[in-house]
Amino acid sequence: FNGIWLHGRLRDMTRTKVFPELGAEAAAYHGSLNRLCARAAAHGARVFIYFTEPLGFPREDPFWSEHPDVKGEPGSSGMDNWKETYALCSSHPKVREFLREGMANLFKACPALGGVILITRSEHHSHCYSHKDKVDCPRCSGRSVAAAVAEVINTIAIGVRSSSPSAEVIAWNWSWGKDYESGIIDGLDNSVTLMIDFERGGWKNI
C-alpha cells in the first residue's frame, strides 16, 4: 500500500467566503491532517480524502434559512441518517464557488495531501442528480446527468490544482449508469483520473 483514504465533508474541513458560517473547526482538521500526512510520508504513503460533494443538508437545517437560493432537489440521505434532505444545487454559481474555493483552501492549508477520491452518484445526497436521473429542480431539469456530474468533478479539480498542482483528482464511476457514463467521461478534464468500479457488472467463480 502506498496510500490511505479518509471520508471527509468539505463543510467541516475548510472555510469559504461563500458560506462563512461553515467550517468552524477547520483549523483543527488541518492540524490533524498535516500530522497524519507526515506520519504517512515516513512510510512512503500519501493521504487522500474521499468526498461526496456538494453534500446537501437535512430539510430542517438552519443553513436553508440563510441560503434558500441554493436549495436543490429534495430527497433523503440514508448514509447520513437524514430522512428528508435538499441537495446543494451545483447549477448555482455559489455552490460551484464553494467547491472551488473550499478545495483550494483545504489544499493550501494541507499541501501534503495526495489528492481526492470523488463519488458523485448514490451514497449520500449531494447535488441534484446524485440520486435521480430526472429532477424537478428548475436549474437542473434542463441539463443532462452527464453535464452536471462532469461539472462537479471539474470544478473540484480546478480548486485542488490551484493550490496543489501535483495532487490527484480521482473520479470513481460508482453508480454512474450505462446510459450516461460515457457522457460523463467525455466531459471530464484530461487532468482527472478515472477509477473504474469493480463491484458489479460481472461474475467470477472462486
Side-chain angles (χ1 to χ4, degrees), residues 120-137:
T120 43
R121 290 273 295 175
S122 194
E123 300 285 335
H124 307 267
H125 191 202
S126 53
H127 57 85
C128 293
Y129 278 112
S130 58
H131 285 172
K132 301 177 180 178
D133 293 347
K134 294 182 179 180
V135 298
D136 295 321
C137 170

Side-chain angles (χ1 to χ4, degrees), residues 22-115:
L22 303 180
E25 303 297 324
Y29 276 94
H30 299 163
S32 295
L33 282 173
N34 285 328
R35 289 190 295 273
L36 179 60
C37 287
R39 289 172 56 198
H43 299 278
R46 293 185 298 164
V47 178
F48 294 79
I49 309 296
Y50 149 56
F51 284 115
T52 53
E53 296 291 341
L55 185 63
F57 286 87
R59 181 177 182 178
E60 68 279 3
D61 196 282
F63 176 87
W64 298 122
S65 62
E66 295 293 326
H67 306 282
D69 52 325
V70 299
K71 184 183 291 185
E73 189 72 8
S76 63
S77 194
M79 293 290 288
D80 301 292
N81 294 318
W82 300 338
K83 292 184 178 180
E84 294 183 302
T85 59
Y86 287 107
L88 264 183
C89 180
S90 60
S91 292
H92 197 293
K94 284 174 62 175
V95 174
R96 295 196 300 275
E97 178 59 15
F98 166 70
L99 291 175
R100 187 207 62 78
E101 183 189 355
M103 292 294 176
N105 290 346
L106 174 60
F107 277 79
K108 182 178 180 180
C110 304
L113 282 172

